[in-house]
Each structure stands twice: as C-alpha cells, then as structure tokens.
Amino acid sequence: MTPRKPMIAGNWKLHNTIAQSKELARAIAAHVGQGLACDVVVAPVATSLSAVREAIDGTAVGLSAQNTYWEDSGAFTGELSPLLLLDAGCGYCIVGHSERRQYFGETDAGVRKKVAALLVHKVVPIVCIGESLEQREAGKTLDVVLGQIEAATDGLDAVALAPLVVAYEPIWAIGTGRTAKAEDAQEVHQAIRERLGELKGQSWATSVRILYGGSVKPSNADELLAEPDVDGALVGGASLSAKDFIPIIDAGVRRAES
Ligand code: PEP
C-alpha cells in the first residue's frame, strides 16, 4: 500500500457558469460523500467558488482556487489573495499552471512567492511544473522540471512545505489528448522526489504527493496511477463531466487500496 493518500484534482479552467459548476460539484460530492480512500479536490472559476462551496458542504470534496496573488490585500486590481481564498473556503490553490506561465507571464520567482504566501495562510499549494515539447525533444525535461520545483520551494524548509502538492504536467500533454507513457511519467516523478529529498530531507520527500497531469481520462488513469511515484492526477478536460471524472476518482481509490 502506498504511504501517500492519492489525490484526484479537477481543474475546471475558464469553464462553467455558476449553475453548471453547482450541478457538477453536486454530482461529485454525491459520489465522494464523507470521504474516500483518495482525496478529491475541485478548482472552479473564482466566480463559482461560493456556489461550489455550498454544493460540497458537509462532504470530503476539497475546494481549490486556480491562482492567487501573494499579497494579502492592497491596490492590486483584479487579484485574489490567499487570505481571501481562505475566507472563500479554499483549502487548496493551483499555482504555476503552464497556461499561466505561457499566457500571463507567471515566473518561477512569482510562483515561489505565491507558494510561500499560501503556506502562511494554510492554503495548500498545488504547484504545477512541466516541460514543453521542444524541451523534451532536446533532452532537457529533467533540467527544466527540477529547476522549476527547486525555484518554487527555494528558501522554504520541509516544515513550512509540509502539505505541498506537486503536479507534473508535461505541457505537450495538456489538452492535446497525448499522454506521457506511464513509465516516462514515473521516471520524472521519481526524479522530482529524489531532488526534493536532497533539498529538503528524505522524510518530507517520501510524504509529498506528486500528481500527474496531461490528458488523464478514465481509460488511462489506472495505468498512470499504478506507477509507484504517481500519487494522483490533476485533470483538466475530463474533470468537466462527472461521467468522466468519477471513474478517475475511482482509479485513485483503487491505487489507495492496491
Ligand atoms: C490541466 O490543465 O491541468 C490538464 C491536465 O488538462 P487536461 O487534462 O485537459 O490535459
């Protein structure tokens, strides 16, 4: 049995009205109930956080934001803060998603500040890292990914980082239908865990959950989750329908029980 509780997280990106978010959250909450052997988290758009919070109330489904700023408050028009995310009921926040890095100028330094600010407020960061196709083809995958995780955790020790979740998401696999081979995902996950062990100590590195993201669907979830260092999944497209997301949750439960 894995020493780490698996996690299945759904990133709804810029999708779903409040009504649609509520309906999806209710269907997931009905399946999860008081809790399963794997953690389940959903990340709706900010405008739906409050409705989803109500829909999952009393169940074990966790609520996540998709992004944050690092200051608590101030003259930062358009931003959200860890303090306000906590106030809105978020236990988690995705940080450094490749879409934010690619379209919104998110940098490693900014990711590091966001991670630190979230940890201060006890909101669990789900830190996304991953290489582009060009970088993979140039044999730079590990350099890129290990550099990103090192930067995101720089100056933070294992005590501060305790609840952190890492999501390895090869950019070429996000929303493309192309999934990393399970053994390739395992190779990168193992390298991430080893580097975290060197940097922060083995004990924390053994406990940190490393999710895989990139076109995870019901048909490939079991194979990916069978790898020893793949502790769950961050799911985009397939998290938008309960019909697809629930079987992925069930794959997480099977991993916990294997
Ligand atoms: C994501 O956006 O985090 C993601 C993994 O998307 P998809 O599952 O659609 O590839």
Side-chain angles (χ1 to χ4, degrees), residues 34-45:
Q34 299 305 302
L36 298 171
C38 95
D39 285 335
V40 177
V41 173
V42 293
V45 285

Side-chain angles (χ1 to χ4, degrees), residues 11 13 97 99 169 173-175 213-216 234-237:
N11 173 13
K13 309 193 187 192
H97 192 281
E99 287 152 14
E169 301 204 305
I174 296 180
S215 298
V216 176
L234 179 54
V235 187

Side-chain angles (χ1 to χ4, degrees), residues 131-142 144 172 178:
E131 82 286 2
S132 65
L133 186 57
E134 202 183 4
Q135 290 164 333
R136 172 158 283 258
E137 285 175 345
K140 293 187 181 149
T141 297
L142 292 184
V144 170
W172 49 270
R178 283 184 66 179

Side-chain angles (χ1 to χ4, degrees), residues 80-159:
L80 296 169
S81 73
L83 187 69
L84 297 186
L85 294 179
L86 191 66
D87 187 43
C90 293
Y92 302 84
C93 181
I94 297 169
V95 187
H97 192 281
S98 60
E99 287 152 14
R100 295 218 57 86
R101 294 180 192 256
Q102 191 179 347
Y103 306 129
F104 303 101
E106 185 105 303
T107 62
D108 280 343
V111 170
R112 155 71 180 74
K113 286 189 197 175
K114 292 177 181 189
V115 166
L118 287 163
L119 290 169
V120 165
H121 292 287
K122 309 254 181 296
V123 178
V124 175
I126 302 175
V127 180
C128 301
I129 54 178
E131 82 286 2
S132 65
L133 186 57
E134 202 183 4
Q135 290 164 333
R136 172 158 283 258
E137 285 175 345
K140 293 187 181 149
T141 297
L142 292 184
D143 282 352
V144 170
V145 165
L146 300 182
Q148 286 173 333
I149 196 60
E150 194 163 337
T153 58
D154 187 36
L156 298 164
D157 64 18
V159 174

